[in-house]
Amino acid sequence: MELFKLVFFQKALLACLFAGITCGLVGVWIVIMKISFIGVAVSHAAFAGALCALVMGQSVILFSFLFSLMACAVLGPLSDKGQIHPETSIGIVFSLTLGLAFLFMGMIPEGKSQALNLLWGSILTVSFGDIKLLAATSAMVILILVLFFKEIQAVVFNRQLAKASGISASFFFYIILLLTGVSVSSTLKSVGGLLVFALIINPAAAAYQITYNIKKMYLISVLFAIFSGWAGLFIAAFLNLPAGASIVLVSSMVFALAVIFSPKRFIKNIT
Amino acid sequence: MEPKIRLIDVSIGYMSNTVIEKLSLDIAEGEMMGIFGPNGAGKTTLLCAINGLAKIVSGKVFIAGRQVTRFNGNMFRKDIGYVPQDFEIDPRLPVLAQEVILMGRYGKIGCFRYAGTKEKHLLAELVDLLNISNILKKPFGQLSGGEKKRVFIARALMQEPTIMLFDEVFAWLDSETSRMVIDVIQGLHKNSSLTTLIVSHQPSIIEKLCSRIIWMKEGKIIMDGDTSSFLQKIRASYGTI
């Protein structure tokens, strides 16, 4: 219990709380719409942006957000109406962003430790500024979800049908992509570029196994994400393991357990 | 009198394939028109041209005298009920049948507002009309093909549309449900003069419902006439209906 008295651990717990809320909510959209690959491409774009910022001596958060925004601007139209098959074009964007990330990593002028921190995450060294950013991001995601709950629900169910009933489906799809980029950018420093997407996907995918009620899915996804963060932190502290990796492994175990005990486990895939 | 729906030289293509080429068509207000033709004739594409779901390469679409464009499409779609062909749904999807029906109303309700008493009454009426009270709380992905169709019809009717587009609505329906849906469509048309377009490749159903039928083939209209002209052409082509 001495751990709770340590300021850096308190900050890490707070960071996990807000990252869990953000990733848990955004993950529901990614999982239901089955756009994980787009989300991975966006998260790697954010990572490439962060490394570009290190090369140019600029704000990591700003550049990661700008790069993820650019990825959304490319992937959104490709997903809607590309001449090339969507999977192929997303794969091209993904490999491009990954290539850029490693290019910038090679160009970083000083030691690689900052870059490696962005790769693996450094939740134990988050600052109060980082926590404020995470809190603001979760507040923004919650606000947009509350304000546009029904439109988002219709769009994640089926974009074409949402459009057919007069909803601006493309607008809300881009909002979802944008919020994915914002969520990834804000959690990059704490969870790391390689692992952040697991925190978005795993808790939501686990919640998907549990419930048919979308409001409950949001709640369960957030609880699973926060639990993964906190449990991962404790495991990392007691076993002296990397915190980011521990968090992701806990979230993977949560998903595995959800699949095993899922009330939907006997339902066949798409009929 | 101005047609309710007018298409002028409309062409639509997907990935360098032309699906509909220079098609012109007028549909009067309150008309119930059938669209018949083989697979790939462009029937669904024609419906999607009217409700703006398909991108028009050239030509113009007018609804009640106003041109439909990329920028005002949503405004028209709120008044066009669309019942799609069946498509794949993950049976584990976290959405209930009742929620799918209510989604049809969201465009009309608009942003920053929520479903209220009016929506509840509408839902109750439609549940009664389509006999779907026993499936409202079921996960949508686990409904049968016929149940999904009835839910989609209810969803489209939640919009209180002035135009209804039915795309192969009778596919997957058993004979009892087909009869019920036919009664619903005829009742709606009689009570509210709803402009109705019905795509089907079942001539027996189209000729029962529609006073005017167009026959499409390879993106073009090869026949546009009344039921008796249609029946003559069917017998000439297939020997029977």
Side-chain angles (χ1 to χ4, degrees), chain A residues 57-249:
Chain A
Q58 300 293 328
S59 160
V60 162
I61 298 290
L62 177 66
F63 266 58
S64 64
F65 175 64
L66 285 174
F67 270 61
S68 61
L69 204 63
M70 283 193 288
C72 293
V74 170
L75 291 169
L78 280 177
S79 166
D80 266 344
K81 46 198 168 232
Q83 293 293 316
I84 310 167
H85 194 280
E87 293 271 318
T88 309
S89 42
I90 293 163
I92 291 169
V93 171
F94 169 76
S95 57
L96 172 68
T97 53
L98 201 56
L100 283 172
F102 286 109
L103 175 73
F104 292 134
M105 196 180 283
M107 289 167 65
I108 292 171
E110 293 143 13
K112 302 278 187 275
S113 59
Q114 251 191 313
L116 289 173
N117 280 342
L118 284 173
L119 198 60
W120 307 122
S122 52
I123 195 153
L124 296 173
T125 58
V126 289
S127 64
F128 278 118
D130 295 330
I131 291 171
K132 279 184 207 166
L133 178 66
L134 284 168
T137 307
S138 18
M140 182 175 62
V141 172
I142 290 171
L143 181 69
I144 289 178
L145 178 62
V146 166
L147 285 178
F148 301 113
F149 180 86
K150 59 185 196 304
E151 287 82 6
I152 290 174
Q153 184 191 27
V155 167
V156 298
F157 170 65
N158 187 281
R159 266 190 283 162
Q160 280 285 77
L161 284 182
K163 189 177 176 184
S165 52
I167 293 171
S168 302
S170 294
F171 172 74
F172 286 103
F173 178 62
Y174 291 125
I175 292 277
I176 286 169
L177 288 185
L178 188 71
L179 287 176
T180 305
V182 167
S183 305
V184 167
S185 305
S186 65
T187 51
L188 203 61
K189 276 178 80 177
S190 40
V191 183
L194 282 189
L195 305 173
V196 64
F197 211 71
L199 197 61
I200 289 178
I201 289 285
N202 291 353
Y208 190 88
Q209 301 296 323
I210 307 286
T211 181
Y212 286 106
N213 182 312
I214 195 162
K215 287 178 184 169
K216 285 182 186 165
M217 185 173 169
Y218 282 121
L219 181 64
I220 295 171
S221 177
V222 166
L223 290 174
F224 279 166
I226 296 171
F227 171 79
S228 301
W230 287 351
L233 273 181
F234 279 105
I235 289 170
F238 284 118
L239 300 179
N240 198 23
L241 295 170
S246 303
I247 290 169
V248 169
L249 288 172

Side-chain angles (χ1 to χ4, degrees), chain A residues 34 82-83 146 148 150-151 153 157-158 161 163-168 208 212 217 264 267-270, chain B residues 15 74 77 87-88 90-95 99 106-107 110-114 139 142 152 155 159:
Chain A
K34 299 189 195 307
Q83 293 293 316
V146 166
F148 301 113
K150 59 185 196 304
E151 287 82 6
Q153 184 191 27
F157 170 65
N158 187 281
L161 284 182
K163 189 177 176 184
S165 52
I167 293 171
S168 302
Y208 190 88
Y212 286 106
M217 185 173 169
K264 304 181 188 179
I267 295 169
K268 282 186 190 168
N269 214 333
I270 301 196
Chain B
M15 301 210 188
N74 273 347
R77 279 190 283 274
F87 56 82
E88 286 180 349
D90 186 343
R92 297 166 300 172
L93 203 64
V95 67
E99 290 171 326
Y106 292 165
C111 291
F112 313 118
R113 289 163 64 201
Y114 297 95
Q142 290 174 25
F152 278 140
R155 178 194 168 117
Q159 292 176 236

Side-chain angles (χ1 to χ4, degrees), chain A residues 157 271, chain B residues 89-93 95 97 138-144 148:
Chain A
F157 170 65
T271 52
Chain B
I89 296 269
D90 186 343
R92 297 166 300 172
L93 203 64
V95 67
K138 282 191 181 177
F140 178 78
Q142 290 174 25
L143 300 181
S144 68
K148 280 182 195 157

